[in-house]
Amino acid sequence: MSSSQPQILLTGSTGYIGGNILTHLVNSDAPALKNATITCLVRGEDRIQQLNDAYGSRVKPELYRDLDDTERTIEVASQHDYIINTTLGFHPESAAALVHGLAKRKQSSGKDVFMIHTSGTSNMADYPISGEYLEDREFDDEKDDIYGYEKMRNEKFAYPQRTSELGVIDASVETGVKTVVIMSPTIYGVGSGHFNKSSIQVPSFVQATLKTGHGVVPGEGKGIWDNVHVEDLADLYKIVLLNMIEKDGTDLPFGKRGIMFSGNARHTWGELAKGVAEAAYEAGKIQSSEVKSVTLDEGAELFRQGSKLRVELSLASNSRTNSTIAKRLGWKPTRGAEAWKEGFRQEVKAFSEKQAQ
């Protein structure tokens, strides 16, 4: 490890995942991170002020126009050795721009450069209600060729998040940038980030439940997914980053093999819907904790997912994974069943308070 401070860039620092990661990095007592300044690529002058107010000199905000501002993204990325990308996973060009910026850094410094890219296990999910694609496999990130599977799936149906991830990997192989993809399942819990404190899937069920006055689930709710608390997930990012900084990533797989899962526990969508309904009922927000089935067409409107295929993929499908690589690296998630239930209560409270404003 170099004696100089690591040059770390974080994107999405005011988002749900990125905000939690930033807090974990800033609060870390690891020698490699204790005094490190984290560069944060942000949109809007207001976010620069928010970051400075929250973290002071530990952050260095850099402004860019938006995700389409690839020229500025490449420029900022080229000044760093390590990048954690947590911005919207459905924008291939911005993700590839980060890799190309790192490639410039590698060329000028002659040293290895690293990137952690954020993706999601909906990339592996099926369509069990419509029958568009059926999958009963359980995937292991160490044993299975996840890259090859995603390539095959994307040839059948180009899914933007999968396209972004594959583009990052392909660009990394081409340029020699060392990339690790962390592919997360349902993320829950109110974490330690200072900004966006809510995820996507659980709040979708909360708003649909409060709108209808009862629990709601697309189809029969039998689809199975994994889940992880946002704080445990932030721990995993820190473990991977430290391995890159302290050990040049010697324990990590990269490129086409460098796709890691981050699931800790498992749920059915019916169980999630029931948990949300019970939390809303206990809070006095609905009259019954009963869960009712809705069609995909009804779900598209209720869950604000835009299309019935999106509802099916995100809130009704099967996506089962084993986080073998993370556990081999020493990741020990500590939030389990009680934190899962508490996450429902927190989201019901947060959504109710937001409505009352």
Side-chain angles (χ1 to χ4, degrees):
M1 184 184 76
S2 169
S3 57
S4 61
Q5 287 298 330
Q7 299 300 308
I8 303 165
L9 172 64
L10 173 66
T11 71
S13 57
T14 59
Y16 178 57
I17 300 172
N20 280 279
I21 292 169
L22 179 57
T23 298
H24 276 238
L25 297 184
V26 167
N27 291 341
S28 174
D29 56 5
L33 294 174
K34 202 156 54 174
N35 300 308
T37 300
I38 315 296
T39 303
C40 300
L41 193 61
V42 294
R43 288 172 287 171
E45 297 280 354
D46 56 327
R47 296 187 184 187
I48 291 180
Q49 192 59 51
Q50 287 174 340
L51 282 166
N52 284 330
D53 289 346
Y55 298 103
S57 62
R58 293 302 306 280
V59 297
K60 180 188 173 190
E62 289 280 2
L63 196 63
Y64 76 143
R65 192 177 65 251
D66 52 30
L67 289 171
D68 291 322
D69 192 358
T70 53
E71 194 174 316
R72 173 66 172 153
T73 300
I74 291 170
E75 179 193 354
V76 175
S78 69
Q79 298 161 21
H80 296 83
D81 305 303
Y82 308 92
I83 294 179
I84 302 175
N85 180 31
T86 72
T87 50
L88 185 69
F90 293 79
H91 197 279
E93 295 79 14
S94 61
L98 292 168
V99 179
H100 292 304
L102 279 175
K104 284 190 163 190
R105 176 71 164 193
K106 178 179 170 69
Q107 200 171 16
S108 64
S109 71
K111 296 176 182 175
D112 281 333
V113 289
F114 302 85
M115 175 164 150
I116 305 172
H117 176 72
T118 301
S119 192
T121 59
S122 57
N123 289 9
M124 317 295 289
D126 65 357
Y127 295 91
I129 300 174
S130 65
E132 288 281 331
Y133 189 90
L134 299 175
E135 181 60 79
D136 60 3
R137 289 173 62 186
E138 189 168 314
F139 296 93
D140 186 292
D141 52 14
E142 196 134 75
K143 296 173 188 169
D144 296 324
D145 177 12
I146 306 303
Y147 172 87
Y149 178 82
E150 290 192 80
K151 275 281 193 188
M152 177 273 292
R153 287 290 303 271
N154 231 40
E155 284 164 10
K156 294 177 186 291
F157 175 73
Y159 177 46
Q161 180 177 258
R162 197 162 50 219
T163 302
S164 292
E165 179 194 316
L166 292 169
V168 163
I169 294 169
D170 290 345
S172 76
V173 171
E174 187 183 315
T175 58
V177 172
K178 293 188 171 182
T179 58
V180 169
V181 172
I182 296 182
M183 194 189 284
S184 292
T186 298
I187 308 169
Y188 70 93
V190 175
S192 55
H194 284 271
F195 308 105
N196 180 3
K197 291 182 177 287
S198 287
S199 61
I200 299 169
Q201 289 162 311
V202 176
S204 293
F205 277 90
V206 169
Q207 67 90 16
T209 297
L210 297 184
K211 183 177 181 179
T212 58
H214 55 75
V216 184
V217 69
E220 296 179 22
K222 290 182 178 178
I224 300 170
W225 263 53
D226 307 306
N227 58 70
V228 64
H229 193 283
V230 68
E231 291 286 290
D232 285 328
L233 180 61
D235 277 337
L236 177 58
Y237 276 82
K238 185 172 70 174
I239 288 169
V240 173
L241 178 63
L242 282 172
N243 200 283
M244 291 171 169
I245 297 171
E246 296 174 342
K247 301 172 77 175
D248 289 327
T250 52
D251 301 320
L252 301 170
F254 294 108
K256 293 180 180 180
R257 297 300 306 180
I259 303 171
M260 299 170 53
F261 297 131
S262 62
N264 176 35
R266 199 161 274 180
H267 64 273
T268 67
W269 296 111
E271 289 166 353
L272 195 160
K274 185 65 175 173
V276 167
E278 286 174 349
Y281 178 71
E282 286 169 15
K285 301 298 179 184
I286 58 175
Q287 299 303 307
S288 166
S289 62
E290 179 189 4
V291 176
K292 296 182 181 179
S293 172
V294 296
T295 66
L296 292 178
D297 282 316
E298 291 167 333
E301 188 177 335
L302 264 181
F303 290 95
R304 301 177 186 172
Q305 291 291 310
S307 75
K308 61 183 186 179
L309 276 180
R310 185 66 192 271
V311 170
E312 185 175 17
L313 189 72
S314 302
L315 307 174
S317 60
N318 294 284
S319 183
R320 295 174 298 157
T321 62
N322 289 315
S323 309
T324 304
I325 297 172
K327 285 166 186 169
R328 174 174 60 72
L329 292 171
W331 182 53
K332 294 182 174 67
T334 59
R335 286 88 174 170
E338 188 46 51
W340 177 241
K341 286 183 184 175
E342 179 61 25
F344 301 146
R345 292 190 282 267
Q346 289 172 332
E347 291 292 1
V348 167
K349 183 171 183 259
F351 192 85
S352 301
E353 288 173 351
K354 196 175 177 183
Q355 281 187 315
Q357 287 174 357

